[in-house]
Amino acid sequence: MADDLDLDDGIPGLLRDGRSVLVRRLIPDDLELIVDFSRRLSRRTVSMRMLGPVVTLDRAGLARFMDLGPDRQLALVAIHENRAVGVADFVRVEGHPGHAEMTFTIADEFQSLGLGGLLLEHIATAARDSEITILEADVLAENLAMIRTLESSGYPVEFGPPGSILHADVVLRPQAQVTARSDRREHQSVRSSMQRIFDSRAVAVVGAGRSANNLGRAVLRNLASHGFPGRVYAVNPNTRSVMGVPTYPSVSAIGEPVDLVVVAVAAELVPEILRDCAAASVAAVVVVSVGFGELGEHGRATELDMVRYARGQGMRLIGPGSMGILAQQGSRRLAATFSVSLPPPGVVAMASQSGTLGLAILEHARRTGLGFSGFASLGRSADVSPNDLLQWWEEDPATSVILLDLEKYGNPRKFARIARRVSARKPIVTVTSAIQTTLDGIIGSEFGGRAAITDTLFAQTGVVATRTLAEMFDVARLFAFQPVPRGDRVAVVTNASQPGVLTAAACRAAGLRLASVHDLSPRADAGRYEAALRALLADDAVDSVIALFIPPLAQDPEAIMAAVLRAGASVPEKPLLASFDGTEGVLSAADGRGHAIPSYTFPEAAAVALGRATVYGAWRQQPAGIVRRPAGVAADRVHAVAERVGTGPVGTADVSELLAAAGLAVGTDTGISGPEVSVSVTADDVFGPVLTFGVLGDPITLYGDIAAHITPVTDLDAARMVRSVRAIPLLAEWDVDAVVDLILRVAWLVEELPGLIRLHLSPVAVGATGQGVEVRTAALVLDMKAHP
C-alpha cells in the first residue's frame, strides 16, 4: 500500500535506527517549517551547508529559498514528528539543461543515520524525471560524512581537483550498484524498525473494555497473563479500569514511554488515535479495527492517509484488520493479539493475511505442538509488509523456519530477491491457494497454452510452495524438528505391510527414490524397531527414513515410541519422520526435552512433506552461478534511450537502438534460417520481472512448453532455463550457447532498467553453432516514472 505514494503525497523512509520519516516535496506554505528547521541547526552544520563560516540563516533568505520555480528548482523535505529533519534541493544550471546543482542539510540529531543517502535517492529520482543527467555538488573537504554519502550512493561520482572545497558530479545512471546499496541501507533500517515492534518494552491497548467479547480486553488479557515482562496500559476514557488494570483517557495521558499501541476501536476513531500516539512518540501501532480499504476507494484513501501520517510521525503501522502479533523467546512472550489459543515457544515464525482464520492457525499450531517464535497478522498490509517481516526474521536467532499465508507479498521485485537470500539460510514455506499471478493469463494468450509456473518460480526463490494450510504445517513440522534432507533416497520401516506399500507409492509420487521398505511384522517390539532404524539412519545409501507404527494389541506403544526417539537421536543429521498410532503432532519425551520427531496421522502426508523438503534441500545445494555483465553492452546508451522515451510502448527505431546497446541486433538479415524461439519479460505482481523462453511452433502452441525464471538470472540459471524445455532436442544441432547469451543480455537489461515492464522478442532465429541468433521482431514497454 505504501508503494502507491509519491513525492506529492509523501514517501515513507526508514533510518538506520528504525525510526521513520516522510519525504515529500517542499512547497511555499512550508516556510514556517523551514524557519523552525534552520533555527535548530548548529553553527557547524550551517557552516558545512554554506561552505564557510556563516552562522546565521535569516528569514528573508529562507523565504527566497522557498520561492520555488517549478521549471528550475525542486526541493524535498524529510519530516519526523511534524518537524523538518532534512532538506535536499536541486537548481538547474544556466546554459546546461542536463545539469543541476544540489545541496543537502541534515538536522544535527539526525546526522549519521542514513538520512542523507535517503534524500539523495529521492532527489536523484526526481532529477531523472526532470531529464537531468548530472547533479553537481560543492562540498567542504572536511565534510567527510557528505563525501561518503556521495561515494556510497552507487552512482558514478567524479570529483574535481583537491582543495578546501571539492566539486562533485553525480552521474544519474540507475545501475545495479545503486539498487544494491539502496537495498543494504533499507535492510538495516527495516530491521531496526521491526525490532522496535517485536522487542517492545511497554504496550498500550486502546479500546480495552469491560465486555467479555471486547477485542481490546482479549489483547489486554493475553499481554497480562502470558509472560510479557514489560509495562501494560489500558486506554479507555469511558471506564476507570479493565480487568483490574487502571485506564487512561488517551495514550499521551499515560505520561510514560510507550513502544507499541494496539488499537481496537471503531474505524472512524482510528485517525484521531494515531494523532494521539504521535503526540506520545509511539514507535508502532497495530490496528485491529476494520472498515477501511476492504470497503472501497474511500477506505483505501483513508489507509493511505494513515500510512502517510504515521510514517511522517516516525511510526510503523501493522494492519488495519490485524488480529495482532506474537513474539516469544523462552519465558518472554509479547502476546499482543486477541487469539484465545497461543502456540508454545519454538522456532517457527509466520506472517498471515487470513484475518480471523489466523485464530484457527494458532490453535492448530498449539494442538500439534508446533512452537512459534513470532506471528504477525498483517491484515490489509497498509504499511508493514511481508518483505519487512522476512528481513526481520532473517537474522532473528530464535527463528529457523518462516511461514507465509498471504494473498500479496508486497513489492514483487523486492520479494523475489529477499526471499532468495533468506531461503539460502532458513526455509520459507508458503501456501499458494490464494495467490494470483499475472503470468498465467499472459503466457496463455501470448503462447497459446496455459503454463503452470507458480510452483517453479517459487522454487527458484527457494520458497517451498504448498497447496493447503494443512500441507504447509506438515512441512513446517519437519523443518522445525528435523534437518534438511541431503538427498532423495528414503527408507520406510513398518509393522504392517499394506501401510508400507501405500507409503512407498506416496514417496515415489512425491519425487523420492525408494531405498528400501522394511516390514518388521506386527509382532515387532521396541528392540527390533530401534535396531532397524539405527541401521538405516547410519546407512550412507539412505538420506531419510519414515517410520510407521500401526498398534497391534500385544505391543507397548510407549516403549516403541521411546525406541524411535532414541534411534533418531543416534543420527540427528538425518531426517526421521513418523506416522505413529495416528498421532498428528510431535513425538517427544514426556518432559518435552531431547529429540523430537514429527508425526502424521496418515503416512502419505509424511511422504508429501518429505518430498517438499527434499526439493528445498536440493535447491540449497545447487550451484548458484554468477550474474555476469555481457560483453559489448553500453549502459549509457540504454539509459539515454530509456530516458528519452519515458513511459509507454517504445517505437521500432528506439527499440532497435536500445537492444543494440545490449548487444542485440533487431531486424538484421543475417541469413540465419534455423529453428525459431521466443524470449520475453513480464512484470509479475508476485515475482517481479520474469523471463520466459520457448521454442516456437507446436512445443508452445500445443503443449505450453515454456521455461520461466525470476530475475536476476545467473549464467547457470540461463543454461538450465534453455535446457529445461522439452523441445531442447530441436535445438541440439544449433547454437544453444547463443540462446543462453541472448537470455543473459535480456536479464542484464532488466537489471539496468527497473522501468522495463514488458519485452517480447519473437521470432528469434537460431543459427548453426557459432552463427549466433537473429532477433527478427521486438516489442518493448517502459514505465520510467513508476520504476525509476
Side-chain angles (χ1 to χ4, degrees), residues 580-606:
F580 193 94
D581 193 12
T583 299
E584 181 74 13
V586 180
L587 306 181
S588 62
D591 60 4
R593 298 179 180 178
H595 200 67
I597 296 172
S599 178
Y600 303 86
T601 301
F602 300 108
E604 296 94 333

Side-chain angles (χ1 to χ4, degrees), residues 48-284:
M48 291 290 183
R49 164 65 178 82
M50 304 302 291
L51 306 181
V54 179
V55 295
T56 60
L57 290 172
D58 60 38
R59 186 183 187 88
L62 291 171
R64 287 192 297 273
F65 170 76
M66 297 293 296
D67 186 16
L68 304 174
D71 295 332
R72 294 190 60 252
Q73 181 180 9
L74 180 138
L76 303 179
V77 59
I79 297 174
H80 177 78
E81 296 184 350
N82 286 331
R83 306 188 85 177
V85 296
V87 174
D89 78 304
F90 70 74
V91 179
R92 290 185 185 274
V93 177
E94 293 290 344
H96 298 276
H99 290 229
E101 294 179 354
M102 67 174 174
T103 63
F104 294 86
T105 310
I106 309 298
D108 291 74
E109 66 273 23
F110 280 80
Q111 294 174 10
S112 300
L113 294 177
L115 181 53
L118 178 65
L119 285 172
L120 178 54
E121 288 178 23
H122 288 299
I123 204 74
T125 298
R128 287 202 306 272
D129 289 344
S130 300
E131 299 183 351
I132 292 169
T133 57
I134 293 179
L135 286 173
E136 302 178 7
D138 290 322
V139 186
L140 285 176
E142 62 186 281
N143 192 351
L144 299 180
M146 192 66 241
I147 293 171
R148 283 194 296 268
T149 295
L150 296 176
E151 290 177 331
S152 64
S153 67
Y155 292 106
V157 181
E158 300 173 2
F159 286 100
S164 60
I165 297 177
L166 294 178
H167 181 82
D169 286 341
V170 180
V171 184
L172 299 183
R173 302 185 198 129
Q175 48 193 348
Q177 58 262 45
V178 177
T179 302
R181 291 177 182 180
S182 175
D183 287 347
R184 285 196 295 270
R185 184 197 62 77
E186 181 182 351
H187 174 68
Q188 180 181 354
S189 301
V190 165
R191 279 195 48 76
S192 296
S193 71
M194 292 299 99
Q195 183 171 15
R196 300 175 78 200
I197 297 174
F198 291 102
D199 285 351
S200 294
R201 295 295 185 265
V203 181
V205 182
V206 178
R210 302 175 67 89
S211 171
N213 61 358
N214 177 270
L215 293 182
R217 179 187 179 92
V219 175
L220 189 67
R221 180 178 60 247
N222 280 338
L223 286 166
S225 61
H226 285 289
F228 179 59
R231 300 180 301 280
V232 178
Y233 303 101
V235 176
N236 188 331
N238 302 314
T239 185
R240 299 183 63 180
S241 67
V242 176
M243 298 173 52
V245 178
T247 62
Y248 295 85
S250 65
V251 176
S252 55
I254 294 173
E256 298 288 340
V258 176
D259 301 312
L260 179 68
V261 172
V262 181
V263 179
V265 299
E268 62 268 19
L269 300 178
V270 173
E272 180 58 36
I273 300 298
L274 290 181
R275 287 190 284 272
D276 180 40
C277 291
S281 298
V282 170

